[in-house]
Amino acid sequence: MYDPLHDSSPGTNLDYPESYWAGISGEAPQDDGQLTSDIDADVVIIGSGYTGLSCALHLAREHNIKAVVLEANKTAWGCSGRNAGFILKSTGRKPWSAMTQSWGEEVMRGIYSEVCQGVDTVNSLIAEGIDCQQQTNGYIRVAHKPSMFAGLVKQAKLLQNTFSYDVDILSREELHQSYMADQNAHGAIRFDDGFGINPLKLAWGYQRLARESGVKIHTGSPVIELSENNGKQVITTPNATVTAQKVVLATNGYTPKNFHLSVANKTLPVLSQIIVSEPLTEEQLQACNFLTSNVVMDTRALKYYYRKLPDNRILFGGRGAITGKSADDPYYANRLLNVLKQSFPPLQNIKYQYAWSGWICMSLDDIPHINQAADNDNVFYAMGYCGNGVSFAVQAGKRLADKVSGKDLPNLPLYNKQLPKFPMPALRRVGQWGYFHYGKIKDAYF
Ligand SMILES: Cc1cc2nc3c(=O)[nH]c(=O)nc-3n(C[C@H](O)[C@H](O)[C@H](O)COP(=O)(O)OP(=O)(O)OC[C@H]3O[C@@H](n4cnc5c(N)ncnc54)[C@H](O)[C@@H]3O)c2cc1C
């Protein structure tokens, strides 16, 4: 599998991974095909995931700038077409309490407001007629050990007091009776506003809206070189070159090695792995009391997440391999299957029918950054969602569109700080390996 820390290109016109989403979503909608002749453009956006599509859509609708999107493979071939489809009011990995400690309450509230606007924008775009198999509202955060429940209750109280956020506290018994009998769950808190969607169909919907607004989306068009000539950005693809005023990097965890100085050595791509089971029978659903279609995540340092899909399959996810070379080793899918079986013992004989993985994008300070390059006023980027970008990448794309068109952004670390560089970037994977070991010990013993 493509490995962004080693490879200089994600490929050209590659098929979607053999994911459940690619399997059930039907034909990809029409795009503008490969770029085959040289063109000029106001803005070129590299990458057609949620960030790039949202930036293009908002540039067109709110700033009357018709951007050209260049995608190496197919629309949403990266994370956006292969994630778990959890729409949550969050981004990055930094807890609200840590934000308050670092930057004060006003900034933390400002970030919360951005995150909420992201979910609102997703909802309003879906309401324009995107069929993305939206499921009933609810996000359940389960305590993976009895000792974690007190921390969840504290978090719920904090959210209720700080944001008047509607959060239910569920004992193990209440959770088992009303939602699902997860044997690894020792109580939970439940938010009423998260939900699950089909992520690929959501991206295809954004693509349709963007093209209807005049955006061109060229798939099969990897950018192989970025340079500057007489103040213009020169964007080279295998068959043609675009000369543009401005360029946006919307490549997130799929950013190739040494792609652009403004983001080089500033992200850590980490594999997240998903399996999707065969459909559960009525008997299996009853034996697990699997009543809910809410999205579920646990409290581990190395988190597991799951949801029941509309056709009664279970999507189950967690961390994957460390390198692209090992990404397709069935060991990682089988490890998830074993945890799924431990959570739901009546599913001892269940198999998985789909398994795939994708690169989430970690930043050193655990928050995404949306900014103009420090050394080039005509280069912009948004990345570092730390595995939490289905809704926030849409807000990031919208803010990026504001920035590209010269508008000031809210004075928040998301928008006024550059992505920080990793110290000793060559050792990022060693650090990741160390964190995985720390996480394993923490999750098992503390
Ligand atoms: C397994 C998994 C599960 C996840 N689950 C969730 C979830 O449930 N909820 C949530 O909020 N987040 C989740 N995420 C994270 C979320 O999917 C991402 O944060 C989000 O999709 C990022 O969107 P993006 O547009 O920035 O990047 P991407 O969707 O990754 O798009 C980047 C695109 O850039 C293209 N590209 C790269 N280099 C070039 C080049 N040189 N030329 C042209 N194109 C190029 C790539 O081909 C790719 O299509 C998950 C991620 C994974 C991998």
Side-chain angles (χ1 to χ4, degrees):
M1 182 198 252
Y2 165 62
D3 188 330
L5 285 196
H6 288 283
D7 300 325
S8 56
S9 167
T12 306
N13 218 9
L14 296 179
D15 273 337
Y16 291 112
E18 288 180 8
S19 71
Y20 171 75
W21 308 120
I24 64 150
S25 299
E27 278 294 295
Q30 193 161 5
D31 55 48
D32 295 287
Q34 270 185 333
L35 187 72
T36 50
S37 55
D38 293 355
I39 53 168
D40 290 331
D42 291 331
V43 177
V44 162
I45 297 170
I46 307 173
S48 72
Y50 303 136
T51 304
L53 293 171
S54 167
C55 183
L57 178 65
H58 289 99
L59 274 174
R61 283 188 176 180
E62 295 180 2
H63 308 283
N64 200 23
I65 297 172
K66 309 286 191 291
V68 171
V69 179
L70 298 176
E71 165 57 47
N73 296 304
K74 304 206 180 317
T75 292
W77 177 85
C79 270
S80 300
R82 58 175 92 194
N83 61 68
F86 288 28
I87 303 269
L88 304 176
K89 277 191 180 166
S90 61
T91 193
R93 277 166 47 88
K94 200 172 170 89
W96 302 114
S97 53
M99 290 188 197
T100 309
Q101 235 172 20
S102 303
W103 305 307
E105 184 167 335
E106 201 184 324
V107 168
M108 180 275 287
R109 284 184 182 278
I111 295 177
Y112 180 71
S113 160
E114 291 296 303
V115 162
C116 295
Q117 287 177 48
V119 176
D120 289 347
T121 307
V122 171
N123 275 319
S124 69
L125 293 173
I126 292 175
E128 289 187 40
I130 298 179
D131 164 23
C132 60
Q133 300 180 291
Q134 185 169 355
Q135 292 185 284
T136 47
N137 269 19
Y139 161 40
I140 301 176
R141 185 97 200 276
V142 299
H144 75 281
K145 282 196 258 186
S147 59
M148 300 304 283
F149 185 54
L152 279 183
V153 172
K154 199 169 149 203
Q155 191 192 342
K157 298 234 156 93
L158 185 86
L159 290 168
Q160 281 160 346
N161 293 339
T162 316
F163 305 124
S164 309
Y165 205 150
D166 196 11
V167 192
D168 289 337
I169 296 169
L170 303 167
S171 67
R172 178 179 167 94
E173 292 67 36
E174 286 166 331
L175 181 74
H176 284 196
Q177 268 165 29
S178 304
Y179 296 94
M180 73 283 168
D182 180 343
Q183 300 306 312
N184 280 338
H186 301 270
I189 57 177
R190 182 177 175 278
F191 305 79
D192 207 29
D193 52 7
F195 56 89
I197 45 90
N198 173 330
L200 182 58
K201 289 186 94 177
L202 183 63
W204 286 350
Y206 295 157
Q207 167 174 282
R208 176 176 58 78
L209 297 179
R211 289 186 80 233
E212 284 169 4
S213 308
V215 173
K216 293 274 183 233
I217 299 170
H218 293 288
T219 52
S221 306
V223 173
I224 48 181
E225 198 184 337
L226 275 169
S227 58
E228 204 171 32
N229 188 8
N230 286 332
K232 295 272 176 77
Q233 307 305 307
V234 182
I235 300 111
T236 310
T237 71
N239 299 319
T241 296
V242 192
T243 306
Q245 305 289 342
K246 295 178 179 173
V247 63
V248 169
L249 314 179
T251 46
N252 201 43
Y254 285 78
T255 309
K257 187 177 178 187
N258 296 333
F259 191 53
H260 194 271
L261 209 61
S262 58
V263 294
N265 296 327
K266 294 181 176 177
T267 59
L268 170 61
V270 171
L271 280 172
S272 189
Q273 168 87 41
I274 288 179
I275 56 171
V276 169
S277 74
E278 51 201 3
L280 267 56
T281 60
E282 266 317 308
E283 294 71 41
Q284 286 171 321
L285 287 170
Q286 274 174 24
C288 303
N289 203 32
F290 218 127
L291 303 170
T292 190
S293 297
N294 288 177
V295 296
V296 184
M297 200 179 303
D298 73 10
T299 44
R300 286 179 170 84
L302 306 174
K303 293 186 182 11
Y304 293 110
Y305 49 87
Y306 64 87
R307 55 185 275 215
K308 183 170 62 142
L309 297 164
D311 57 2
N312 290 337
R313 297 168 188 269
I314 307 298
L315 176 154
F316 202 90
R319 78 192 158 95
I322 290 190
T323 62
K325 217 163 78 184
S326 320
D328 298 326
D329 186 334
Y331 166 81
Y332 298 98
N334 283 322
R335 186 168 63 187
L336 292 181
L337 187 65
N338 284 336
V339 182
L340 169 61
K341 289 178 182 178
Q342 284 162 21
S343 292
F344 297 101
L347 304 183
Q348 277 322 300
N349 297 323
I350 199 145
K351 297 185 176 56
Y352 65 83
Q353 284 190 337
Y354 298 88
W356 71 94
S357 59
W359 295 104
I360 62 172
C361 186
M362 310 304 289
S363 64
L364 184 66
D365 58 0
D366 290 339
I367 59 165
H369 291 268
I370 294 90
N371 217 323
Q372 198 163 23
D375 58 351
N376 188 334
D377 282 354
N378 294 316
V379 176
F380 302 78
Y381 65 81
M383 54 185 76
Y385 309 109
C386 305
N388 252 321
V390 175
S391 57
F392 188 73
V394 173
Q395 180 68 5
K398 191 172 178 211
R399 288 301 190 192
L400 206 49
D402 288 343
K403 185 98 182 164
V404 167
S405 55
K407 257 180 84 173
D408 286 337
L409 301 190
N411 189 17
L412 297 170
L414 301 171
Y415 308 126
N416 62 20
K417 286 189 167 29
Q418 297 286 338
L419 265 172
K421 205 173 196 151
F422 276 79
M424 296 189 284
L427 298 182
R428 277 172 287 178
R429 288 253 158 97
V430 178
Q432 182 187 348
W433 183 86
Y435 181 78
F436 279 1
H437 280 267
Y438 153 80
K440 260 205 295 212
I441 293 167
K442 181 169 182 290
D443 291 338
Y445 301 109
F446 299 100

